[in-house]
Amino acid sequence: MPEQDIEIRKYHPEDKKVWNEFVESSKNGTFLFNRDYMDYHSDRFQDNSYLIYRKNKLYCLLPGCRKEEVFSSHAGLTYGGLIMNRDCTAEGILEVFSDLKERLVKEGFTKWIYKAIPHIYHKLPSEEDLYALFINDAKLIVRNVSSTILLNNRIPVTRQRRRSLTKALDNDIEVKPSSDFDSAWQIINDNLMERYGVKPVHDVVEISLLSRLFPNNIKLYGAYIENEMIGVALMYYTEKTAHAQYIHANRKGKEIGAVDALIEFLLENCSSSYFDFGNSNEKDGRYLNESLIHLKQGFGGRAVCYDIYEIAL
């Protein structure tokens, strides 16, 4: 294929409408690639995204950022490789990779970090990039294991989870949608600091803003005892997958099964194909938090990998 058949353009703010429309119609994009989501933390990262055209038609997008001589899939997102249209083929993506590597070298990059989009977020089969990574001798550097439920073929919950659910029912825990982000974030902050000494990725101002921008995709649920919030779940809904971004309870909630009540409510009221609990790893996937994954597997979650690759340029 002639070299001019591929054209790579750097993203500029005036491309926002074209970018967002492409994400919406793509075969593997989610709302996380909408520029309103990507740009809410633009002050933290040097955006270096690309629009890639093939034969004068927008073929795919590559959300990314620059840190010195490293080009990375956007550092503010959990996943984020090539976002592809329905016409993308294996040979076409091989051409895109070849031209992208040349472009990145010309721009002074020496390394390319690529976060593959897990298949549970694909609207159509979209693993052409995985083949291109293999052909380009990409090295797998991070593998986080998430726990995911295929909702039309659920594995029964374990006896331990059934006991905890019974405790929640006996204590009349009520689970319902909520807009009380202040109370929710107090629980999340306290729990993360106590267990891991860290803060949540989003602060309460950011997540409140994002929920207003994406009301159909970002939803908050609370577990209550007599109008007191004792547990919280923040959900991200994409076209095929419901992803649990945060699920936490305060001490009272932990004692009476608030997390189990939240999960069971979410599973019973979910119309997605998949329910994804998120990963249970630390140290770039080398450490498995067995107590954390034990709860997720107790509800029938099984492994889906979130992979990150490195390509030397």
Side-chain angles (χ1 to χ4, degrees):
M1 184 176 67
E3 185 179 351
Q4 63 266 27
D5 278 1
I6 297 289
E7 180 186 1
I8 301 171
R9 302 180 190 172
K10 185 76 68 69
Y11 172 82
H12 297 286
E14 56 265 31
D15 298 316
K16 178 178 176 178
K17 184 174 185 292
V18 171
W19 178 286
N20 286 345
E21 288 176 351
F22 185 91
V23 170
E24 187 69 24
S25 64
S26 69
K27 65 175 184 171
N28 65 336
T30 70
F31 78 94
L32 274 70
F33 303 118
N34 184 290
R35 296 306 307 200
D36 287 328
Y37 190 95
M38 287 180 61
D39 294 343
Y40 85 88
H41 46 21
S42 58
D43 58 315
R44 302 180 201 170
F45 310 104
Q46 184 180 349
D47 189 273
N48 202 102
S49 301
Y50 297 100
L51 299 91
I52 301 156
Y53 291 79
R54 189 174 190 233
K55 298 181 178 179
N56 297 315
K57 181 181 179 181
L58 188 54
Y59 196 59
C60 47
L61 306 173
L62 184 60
C65 60
R66 178 173 200 139
K67 186 174 182 181
E68 298 176 347
E69 296 179 352
V70 177
F71 173 80
S72 174
S73 292
H74 203 283
L77 303 176
T78 306
Y79 52 82
L82 284 172
I83 304 166
M84 298 178 262
N85 72 15
R86 293 171 177 239
D87 296 329
C88 285
T89 61
E91 60 270 32
I93 295 302
L94 285 175
E95 291 287 347
V96 167
F97 260 70
S98 178
D99 283 34
L100 271 169
K101 287 172 68 178
E102 290 183 13
R103 173 66 176 264
L104 293 173
V105 169
K106 287 179 182 178
E107 292 190 10
F109 293 106
T110 60
K111 187 186 297 183
W112 179 3
I113 304 299
Y114 190 98
K115 300 179 184 179
I117 302 172
H119 71 88
I120 57 175
Y121 298 101
H122 298 175
K123 292 168 272 188
L124 291 171
S126 305
E127 295 186 350
E128 290 84 1
D129 59 339
L130 297 186
Y131 180 66
L133 288 164
F134 167 72
I135 291 297
N136 284 275
D137 297 319
K139 178 184 177 182
L140 179 64
I141 58 171
V142 177
R143 169 164 281 172
N144 287 312
V145 62
S146 187
S147 301
T148 305
I149 296 172
L150 178 61
L151 287 166
N152 67 2
N153 190 18
R154 283 183 63 182
I155 296 171
V157 301
T158 61
R159 184 178 302 174
Q160 182 180 0
R161 298 275 63 85
R162 287 200 303 270
R163 287 199 300 267
S164 190
L165 283 168
T166 299
K167 183 187 297 184
L169 288 171
D170 291 343
N171 282 278
D172 295 322
I173 294 176
E174 180 186 12
V175 177
K176 59 185 178 181
S178 175
S179 59
D180 186 0
F181 283 93
D182 288 329
S183 296
W185 244 244
Q186 187 65 55
I187 291 173
I188 292 170
N189 267 305
D190 290 348
N191 203 38
L192 286 174
M193 286 302 298
E194 182 179 327
R195 295 177 66 181
Y196 305 111
V198 299
K199 296 180 179 180
V201 173
H202 311 87
D203 65 34
V204 69
V205 174
E206 291 170 340
I207 202 64
S208 299
L209 169 64
L210 290 172
S211 70
R212 292 194 297 272
L213 291 171
F214 301 97
N216 296 323
N217 302 106
I218 301 177
K219 298 183 179 182
L220 184 70
Y221 299 87
Y224 293 87
I225 290 286
E226 296 179 351
N227 295 318
E228 176 192 357
M229 182 182 282
I230 59 170
V232 58
L234 184 82
M235 298 297 300
Y236 276 21
Y237 292 97
T238 63
E239 189 161 316
K240 289 186 65 178
T241 299
H243 173 74
Q245 188 74 8
Y246 301 101
I247 301 182
H248 292 277
N250 61 19
R251 291 188 180 182
K252 181 176 181 179
K254 291 174 185 177
E255 292 172 358
I256 59 175
V259 167
D260 292 81
L262 280 161
I263 293 172
E264 185 63 18
F265 175 89
L266 293 167
L267 290 172
E268 289 297 322
N269 292 278
C270 188
S271 59
S272 303
S273 299
Y274 298 100
F275 186 96
D276 183 55
F277 284 102
N279 78 69
S280 304
N281 298 104
E282 301 170 31
K283 300 178 181 177
D284 292 336
R286 296 292 179 180
Y287 174 78
L288 180 66
N289 186 327
E290 294 187 11
S291 63
L292 182 58
I293 202 170
H294 180 72
L295 179 143
K296 300 170 183 179
Q297 291 175 160
F299 275 96
R302 294 297 182 265
V304 167
C305 291
Y306 285 57
D307 289 346
I308 302 177
Y309 296 85
E310 178 183 306
I311 302 173
L313 298 172

